Every structure is written in C-alpha cells, then in structure tokens.
Amino acid sequence: MSLIGENDVRGETAVFKEISAEDDDMQPTVIESLCMNCYENGSTRLLLTRIPFFKEIIISSFTCPHCNWTNTEIQSAGRIQDQGVTYTLRVRSKEDLNREVVKADSATTRIPELDFEIPAYTQKGSLSTIEGLIERAAAGLEQEQPIRQATAPEVAEKIDKFIEKLKKLKDVEQEFTLVIDDPSGNSFVENPNAPQKDEALSISHFKRTPEQDARLGLKADDDTEEDNAEKPGNDMNTLRNEVLMFNTNCPECNAPASTNMKLVQIPHFKEVIIMATNCDSCGHRTNEVKSGGATEDLGTKITLHLTDPSDMSRDLLKSETCSVLIPELEFELGMAAVGGKFTTLEGLLKDIKHLIVSRNPFICGDSATPGRAEKIQLFGKKIDQVISGERDVHIILDDPAGNSYMQNVYAPDPDPEMTVEKYERTFEQNEDLGLNDMKTDNYQ
C-alpha cells in the first residue's frame, strides 16, 4: 500500500503533515497488530510528522487491551545521511531537561561524568526529552534488578547506587554532559534558542568507518581508480564539456529519480561540481554544489558589508562545510544546515528564511510555545529587511575547508566592502573535516 496519494504527486496534500490541533486530517493511522506479549490482537497507531529544523519521522504506538502492554517507537522517514552526527549538550538547568530529542536506534548515548553509555541497537528509536532519556535508562537498569538481587546481590547493590546517581541528574545539582553519537545522521537534539546559536549545544559531523557502514547495511563502492581510468570518457576534459546523469532515489518519496552532474569553472576561484535531482513522481527538486578540488591548507573567512541592494545579486558558493553568520541579527547557521549551494546572496537569505520560518511546524497549533512563533516571525521580517536593503548588516561566510566563495564585483581590483581572511584551522575543525586521522606521507 502506497502512502502517497494522487494529490501528493501534484503537491496539493503533504504526506508528512505539520502537527496542529486545528487540522482534521492530522489523525494517526490505526492498524490491527499482534501483541508479542500475550499473542492477542492489539492496535498500532502511526503518525507521520515533521521535527522543526530537522526532518520527517514516523511515530508508532502499540497498545494491547488484553494485557495492557504498550510500546512506542520512532523511525526516520528519510534516507541515511551522507555523514554521521554527534550532538554534545551541556545540561546546565532543569529547562535543558525539556529539550526534545530524536534518538535513532543506531545512536550511542553517553554521559561521561558517570562513565555511562547506552550502546547502539540496544534500544528502539524514540522521540523524547532529555529527562525522558534518563528515566528510560534508569527503568532499563531496574528491570532485571529482582533477578540480580537473588543471584548476585553485590552486583545488584552497585547498580542500585548507580541508578540513584542517574536519577539525581534530573535535579541538575551539577552540570553534566549528554553525548548522542549517530552514524546514520538521523538523530536530533532541539535548539530552543533557534534561530540563534545554542551555546550549550555543539554539533559535529564525521565520516563513517567501514564497520559503521556495514552495520547500517550500506555497500562500499567496488570500483577502483584503475577501473575508472580504463573507462572511456572519464578524463577531466570530457567531464567539463558534458552533463553526466546517474540513477538515484528521491529524498522526499524514495521513488527512482535521476541526478544530473556537471563541472563548472567559477571565475577567480576554482572548479565546482553542480548536482541537480528532479523527481517525476512527486515533483521534488533539489540541487547541491560540491567543491571540485582538495581541502585548502587554510580556512577562509569572507565578510561582506551590505551597503546597497545591488549586493543581493552577488554570486556566491557556500560549501557544505561553510557556516553563515549575521552578527547584527545574532544569527549563526552551522555547516551542512542547507548543504552546498551555488546561488546569489539573495537566494541564500531566502533559503535561510524558508528553513527557519516556513519549514517550522512548531509555530502553530498546540505545538507552539509562548513567544516562539512571534520570535521566528520577527526574524523572518528582519531577513526581508536585509534583502530589501533597509537593514545594515554584515554577512560572514566561515569555511574551515576554504572552499567557499563570494563574487568580487570590482575584480580584479579589491572590493572595499568585502574582506577575505585566511586562517589556520583549530584541532577541532580538522577533526570535523576528518583531517587529523588522514595520513598521506609514506603511504603504501
């Protein structure tokens, strides 16, 4: 049975709806299911919805009326991401315990202060809060305590003491750290200060190891460089002069789609790879830009002072490792938030507004919190003022990989309103780019 109806193909009805008490169609799908506890028939409720600043998910809840057994799970409705993700949250107050968390079943959860870890694949995926994660971990440890008290009293006593320490975390008498490490990239921790930067939360992306790819069921590419060298049409001159096409799946509906790819030379910069995907099934379109060269020796920080509305027409390349800052709005967009883009400054600002304002389902209905909707809408108006030239701001592109670019309209002369700084990357930035473990000397 397909979850996508005829209206979905035309774009009239969304499969993943925004949560709202006023939407009559926002009802879960109920399916009769077998209870694995008493083997009688129960019911499973499925709800397809969105997480703000994140992606689509499927929430399922099972209830058995015969034995009163219940179970809830969450599954990502998207594909496995290109990179894994690590969220590190510094829990400083009880308000932090209310942050929403999407924990995929492939994620590992750690609390370093207690030397505590929940390994991957030992729990089902869940949509909860920080407090809910702690309670679930304590309940999991308490489950086998009666058996341990009968067979291994000393072990049971130690676990009781540890459970007390775990439950005391909910009082937040001292700060502690929560780390969620997910190779699939499908876990998420809420930023309640969005669209501003969250000082207590750090997000880093990493390249998966072959072992992690194997556990996620991903295949490695068997083609070698020698094989590619023998295939006709793979030289760089041929790639520059033609558009390559390969088959893929749509990121929205997972239907077969095609992706076009072409090498483009940016004046006064370097070559980039532009990729565009069109889906004939649901009409979804997406484009992405990747650097065609290597990671630069130095990071690049580009600062542009907007003094005229004509600045909106400047071409820019934002790589997937580049963050965007607008100090006057106290706004920071982390790397990989909107992917790599080759667009204009106006196009980038509109993408930021669409991401923060239009795609945020938590500003309407029962899911809205007091003041959040007004805060988000006010930010959208400020972006409009920047685009129209009514607001004097600075746009900063900070790319540790050095693969981002903004057009100099005075080229080859210096641009009086734009500065380009080169800087040495920190150890943490090299770690995020995967350079610390990369060895190229004496390689055999």
Side-chain angles (χ1 to χ4, degrees):
M1 179 181 68
S2 176
L3 292 175
I4 302 176
E6 296 179 357
N7 289 336
D8 299 319
V9 176
R10 303 188 192 101
E12 297 174 7
T13 302
V15 176
F16 295 88
K17 296 180 179 296
E18 299 175 359
I19 296 179
S20 174
E22 300 174 357
D23 192 348
D24 294 335
D25 295 332
M26 193 62 195
Q27 298 294 332
T29 302
V30 182
I31 303 173
E32 187 176 359
S33 307
L34 179 68
C35 176
M36 302 308 294
N37 187 45
C38 67
Y39 300 102
E40 296 288 343
N41 282 340
S43 60
T44 297
R45 289 173 170 80
L46 296 176
L47 181 64
L48 284 68
T49 186
R50 290 189 180 95
I51 296 293
F53 312 110
F54 187 50
K55 55 170 67 89
E56 295 82 5
I57 60 170
I58 301 174
I59 302 174
S60 64
S61 175
F62 175 80
T63 304
C64 178
H66 302 282
C67 66
N68 296 324
W69 189 67
T70 60
N71 183 39
T72 59
E73 290 184 26
I74 182 174
Q75 296 180 357
S76 172
R79 61 181 178 86
I80 294 175
Q81 304 304 304
D82 295 333
Q83 292 182 315
V85 65
T86 300
Y87 289 89
T88 304
L89 174 66
R90 196 69 189 157
V91 180
R92 301 170 177 173
S93 64
K94 289 188 177 181
E95 286 75 14
D96 287 331
L97 297 177
N98 296 326
R99 291 176 184 248
E100 293 184 346
V101 178
V102 176
K103 178 186 168 301
D105 53 5
S106 58
T108 299
T109 305
R110 296 192 299 272
I111 302 177
E113 287 80 0
L114 297 184
D115 197 18
F116 176 67
E117 177 176 315
I118 304 175
Y121 303 103
T122 57
Q123 291 181 348
K124 294 290 185 181
S126 63
L127 171 60
S128 181
T129 62
I130 303 296
E131 183 177 5
L133 284 181
I134 296 174
E135 289 180 349
R136 188 179 183 187
L141 292 173
E142 290 175 339
Q143 189 173 5
E144 301 295 331
Q145 278 298 84
I147 299 176
R148 296 191 190 99
Q149 290 170 355
T151 58
E154 295 180 357
V155 175
E157 183 179 355
K158 292 180 180 179
I159 293 179
D160 280 334
K161 292 180 180 179
F162 184 82
I163 292 174
E164 290 180 7
K165 293 181 181 179
L166 199 60
K167 290 182 176 180
K168 279 186 177 180
L169 293 180
K170 295 189 293 183
D171 298 329
V172 198
E173 296 177 355
Q174 293 182 343
E175 294 183 4
F176 66 92
T177 307
L178 179 73
V179 181
I180 296 181
D181 190 347
D182 185 9
S184 75
N186 286 328
S187 292
F188 169 76
V189 176
E190 179 192 10
N191 173 9
N193 302 319
Q196 276 76 36
K197 181 181 179 181
D198 191 341
E199 299 295 340
L201 179 66
S202 65
I203 306 171
S204 61
H205 295 79
F206 60 89
K207 186 176 180 180
R208 286 185 290 268
T209 64
E211 293 76 13
Q212 290 172 330
D213 279 336
R215 295 201 70 179
L216 292 172
L218 300 177
K219 269 189 176 181
D221 190 0
D222 294 331
D223 293 337
T224 62
E225 294 182 3
E226 291 79 7
D227 293 335
N228 289 331
E230 295 174 0
K231 296 179 182 179
N234 277 356
D235 58 278
M236 293 303 293
N237 290 329
T238 303
L239 290 177
R240 291 189 184 96
N241 297 325
E242 68 176 85
V243 177
L244 302 180
M245 180 182 295
F246 55 91
N247 297 325
T248 184
N249 288 343
C250 174
E252 284 290 325
C253 66
N254 206 37
S258 60
T259 296
N260 296 327
M261 181 180 73
K262 191 178 189 304
L263 278 174
V264 176
Q265 175 69 43
I266 297 181
H268 311 290
F269 189 53
K270 60 173 68 173
E271 281 187 329
V272 297
I273 302 172
I274 299 180
M275 306 174 68
T277 302
N278 298 328
C279 179
D280 296 332
S281 298
C282 67
H284 177 72
R285 293 171 175 264
T286 182
N287 62 79
E288 189 174 359
V289 176
K290 294 183 179 294
S291 172
T295 300
E296 299 293 325
D297 295 333
L298 299 174
T300 301
K301 184 177 181 180
I302 304 171
T303 304
L304 173 66
H305 183 203
L306 299 181
T307 57
D308 191 270
S310 62
D311 288 329
M312 290 294 110
S313 62
R314 289 179 185 247
D315 291 330
L316 65 85
L317 169 66
K318 177 199 170 297
S319 75
E320 57 188 3
T321 59
C322 177
S323 59
V324 181
L325 296 88
I326 308 178
E328 290 80 0
L329 303 186
E330 297 182 354
F331 173 75
E332 179 175 348
L333 182 73
M335 62 173 66
V338 293
K341 285 190 174 294
F342 184 34
T343 180
T344 61
L345 186 55
E346 180 179 3
L348 178 63
L349 292 175
K350 287 183 176 179
D351 285 340
I352 291 174
K353 179 184 175 183
H354 179 70
L355 176 69
I356 303 298
V357 180
S358 302
R359 296 184 60 186
N360 187 353
F362 278 8
I363 62 174
C364 61
D366 290 347
S367 57
T369 57
R372 175 179 291 184
E374 292 79 3
K375 185 179 179 182
I376 296 295
Q377 294 297 338
L378 178 60
F379 176 79
K381 292 179 180 178
K382 291 180 180 179
I383 291 292
D384 290 335
Q385 291 173 351
V386 173
I387 294 175
S388 62
E390 301 174 16
R391 203 175 187 94
D392 187 12
V393 299
H394 291 76
I395 303 293
I396 302 175
L397 302 182
D398 190 350
D399 187 0
N403 288 326
S404 293
Y405 158 84
M406 185 178 293
Q407 181 186 12
N408 175 8
V409 295
Y410 297 91
D413 298 326
D415 191 329
E417 302 299 335
M418 184 171 71
T419 60
V420 181
E421 305 173 39
K422 298 291 185 178
Y423 62 87
E424 291 280 351
R425 286 184 291 268
T426 64
F427 178 87
E428 291 75 15
Q429 289 173 325
N430 282 328
E431 187 71 18
D432 291 339
L433 295 174
L435 299 177
N436 289 332
D437 298 325
M438 187 179 295
K439 298 179 180 179
T440 57
D441 297 333
N442 302 322
Y443 182 75
Q444 295 181 353

